[in-house]
Amino acid sequence: MSESEKSASEQIDAIVAAANDWRGKTLASLRAVILQTNPDLVEEVKWKKPSKPEGVPVWSLNGNICIGEMLKNAVRLTFPKGAQLADPNKLFNTRLDGNAVRAIDFSEDMALDEAGLKALIDEAVSLNEAKN
């Protein structure tokens, strides 16, 4: 089966497996929390290009909720509308200067604040629902 014939979930499985290090495990953990938070979220793979032919995992519901990327020294979870989210647990730690996007860079030994992440995802879903 070619990459284009695989479901988005199968493509994300392949992205996680290809990492073969802590970043794959971290992305898998984040993905599990995201999908547990709201079972209606849709998994997609977007932005395939020559420098990143496998694409980027995206979770959406009435618009993008968050984007998962494995960087060289971190796994980044980007919220396209993060600047509009309250973030009471202060999870956002990068891309803090823009008018829209906020992100969380997870390093190898960083603890995952599951409750805080779920709250951000719920708020992002509510924000997307409010615009429809």
Side-chain angles (χ1 to χ4, degrees):
M1 179 183 304
S2 73
E3 279 302 306
S4 61
E5 294 173 321
K6 291 182 179 177
S7 71
S9 292
E10 290 171 324
Q11 291 177 60
I12 294 171
D13 288 344
I15 291 168
V16 167
N20 209 16
D21 63 11
W22 69 269
R23 296 171 308 148
K25 292 180 181 84
T26 300
L27 184 58
S29 297
L30 293 171
R31 179 188 191 192
V33 172
I34 292 164
L35 294 174
Q36 288 167 9
T37 303
N38 189 319
D40 294 330
L41 287 172
V42 176
E43 288 192 303
E44 301 176 87
V45 177
K46 296 184 176 182
W47 306 299
K48 292 183 180 187
K49 55 189 177 187
S51 62
K52 199 168 195 76
E54 69 278 10
V56 179
V58 178
W59 293 272
S60 64
L61 186 60
N62 299 313
N64 292 343
I65 299 297
C66 56
I67 300 156
E69 285 187 274
M70 286 185 278
L71 308 176
K72 188 174 180 180
N73 296 312
V75 175
R76 178 170 290 171
L77 200 58
T78 302
F79 288 77
K81 298 175 187 162
Q84 298 176 58
L85 305 179
D87 189 24
N89 294 32
K90 304 290 184 229
L91 298 183
F92 292 133
N93 60 13
T94 193
R95 302 205 56 191
L96 302 174
D97 297 331
N99 293 331
V101 175
R102 295 287 181 273
I104 307 165
D105 277 0
F106 293 89
S107 57
E108 185 169 1
D109 298 319
M110 186 171 152
L112 173 57
D113 179 349
E114 243 183 82
L117 182 55
K118 286 181 176 185
L120 281 177
I121 293 164
D122 283 337
E123 192 178 355
V125 168
S126 294
L127 186 63
N128 279 2
E129 288 173 345
K131 75 172 178 136
N132 288 337

